[in-house]
Amino acid sequence: MATKTIDIPDLTGQTWLITGATSGVGLETARSASDRGARVVLAVRDTGRGHQVADSLPGPSRVVELDLASLGSVRRAAAELRGGEAEPIDVLVNNAGAITPRLRETADGVEMLLGVNVLGPFLFTNLVLPGVRRRVVIVGSNAHKAATFDLDDPHFRRRRWTPAAAYAQSKLGDMLWGLALDQRLRDGRAEAAVAGVDVQLTHPGWAATGITNASGNAVVDTMITRVCSVFAQPASQAALTTMFAATRPLPPCSYTGPDGLRNLRGMPTLIGRSAEASDPEIAERLWQFAEAETAGA
């Protein structure tokens, strides 16, 4: 499929902090921001790969080690970014995410997808938020529409775990903590935040990236990759929704995704979300849960 584009403003003088920027949508977001003049901070688990990406970018960049499966790593990364001569962050893009073929736990003993996709980004954002001066972008997924967040058993310790169920719940969690953060920014409860900072949610559609290779079976993963290469949009196209969410003047906590069939591919536009993802009371309960889960890390 031919990649289209959108008008992206000049980003000279801005600093963008992007998680998971060594491949897929995160890498294409970093390239796009750098191409338009932004200084890019790559918050990544694989710092070797991170430095390779940094060297390939046309503009200035920095690499920070961040493993979202370890809340200790999250705290160290945030301390590095906020310590010493800390630079302001114009845009924080929470892009990193994971899917696994079997039930696993993080270093902190929480279900892996909940930890990497929700709790790690939640804590990281709260810790660096005082340095953010314009926008927080959270890369979600329309998979959230298939989920109900089970606050009684969020780690799947009593109910049956499947990759699809855990991933959908984690993406609903992203929608909910984003909504709760937006509420706090607007009503002044996020006391350390710079006035005017907002939250935007985005869905990249069906993107041809490595996250689809999660079955644990090499043959199956190869077949999935081949199908994706035909029907999914390339990562550079999928990243347009992130760039749209990061650069456009949008209502607070808008949800951006592709405009094509079932929002799987196409050009960025505002799209709808599930009723649960729009519920401020559920969002507040999710926030309280996430605070408790990350408080002692």
Side-chain angles (χ1 to χ4, degrees):
M1 125 178 224
T3 303
K4 299 179 181 179
T5 190
I6 61 173
D7 290 330
I8 299 171
D10 183 5
L11 304 176
T12 301
Q14 293 190 26
T15 295
W16 283 38
L17 171 58
I18 305 171
T19 68
T22 56
S23 64
V25 173
L27 172 58
E28 295 300 331
T29 300
R31 286 173 173 164
S32 184
S34 184
D35 283 342
R36 298 302 298 154
R39 183 173 189 268
V40 177
V41 180
L42 311 171
V44 299
R45 182 171 55 86
D46 184 345
T47 55
R49 174 62 179 153
H51 285 293
Q52 291 177 3
V53 171
D55 291 342
S56 74
L57 298 178
S61 59
R62 174 184 176 188
V63 177
V64 174
E65 184 175 4
L66 171 66
D67 181 358
L68 292 169
S70 165
L71 296 179
S73 175
V74 170
R75 291 189 181 278
R76 288 190 294 273
E80 180 178 343
L81 288 164
R82 300 308 313 142
E85 297 294 324
E87 61 186 319
I89 301 161
D90 294 277
V91 178
L92 165 60
V93 179
N94 284 293
N95 166 83
I99 187 167
T100 60
R102 59 188 61 86
L103 178 60
R104 295 174 55 197
E105 292 189 345
T106 69
D108 304 287
V110 305
E111 191 272 322
M112 180 66 72
L113 303 191
L114 179 64
V116 173
N117 297 349
V118 182
L119 299 178
F122 170 86
L123 178 61
F124 185 64
T125 297
N126 286 340
L127 292 174
V128 303
L129 188 62
V132 178
R133 56 187 181 185
R134 191 171 71 78
R135 180 161 288 178
V136 174
V137 177
I138 300 171
V139 178
S141 169
N142 263 9
H144 83 270
K145 295 180 178 180
T148 293
F149 203 99
D150 189 341
L151 286 168
D152 293 324
D153 186 23
H155 303 288
F156 292 84
R157 288 170 181 154
R158 295 185 300 276
R159 57 195 170 115
R160 180 171 178 264
W161 183 95
T162 67
Y167 184 75
Q169 177 181 261
S170 73
K171 288 295 141 179
L172 176 57
D174 284 336
M175 303 290 287
L176 289 168
W177 77 260
L179 179 59
L181 176 59
D182 179 71
Q183 291 174 322
R184 281 164 167 72
L185 289 168
R186 286 195 279 165
D187 65 21
R189 282 181 290 164
E191 296 179 0
V194 175
V197 174
D198 70 355
V199 175
Q200 297 296 330
L201 307 171
T202 185
H203 159 58
W206 187 7
T209 67
I211 199 170
T212 59
N213 296 330
S215 73
N217 183 300
V219 174
V220 172
D221 285 346
T222 298
M223 292 176 62
I224 292 172
T225 298
R226 287 175 179 171
V227 171
C228 286
S229 67
V230 175
F231 295 103
Q233 56 187 2
S236 56
Q237 178 80 38
L240 294 181
T241 60
T242 302
M243 296 305 297
F244 186 94
T247 61
R248 292 296 191 273
L250 297 168
C253 212
S254 294
Y255 184 41
T256 301
D259 62 2
L261 180 65
R262 300 179 67 85
N263 306 121
L264 292 176
R265 57 194 291 172
M267 298 299 289
T269 190
L270 297 182
I271 61 174
R273 69 197 87 182
S274 71
E276 184 166 339
S278 307
D279 190 320
E281 293 184 1
I282 298 175
E284 182 61 27
R285 291 201 295 273
L286 187 284
W287 183 277
Q288 298 298 331
F289 160 75
E291 274 194 330
E293 290 283 313
T294 58

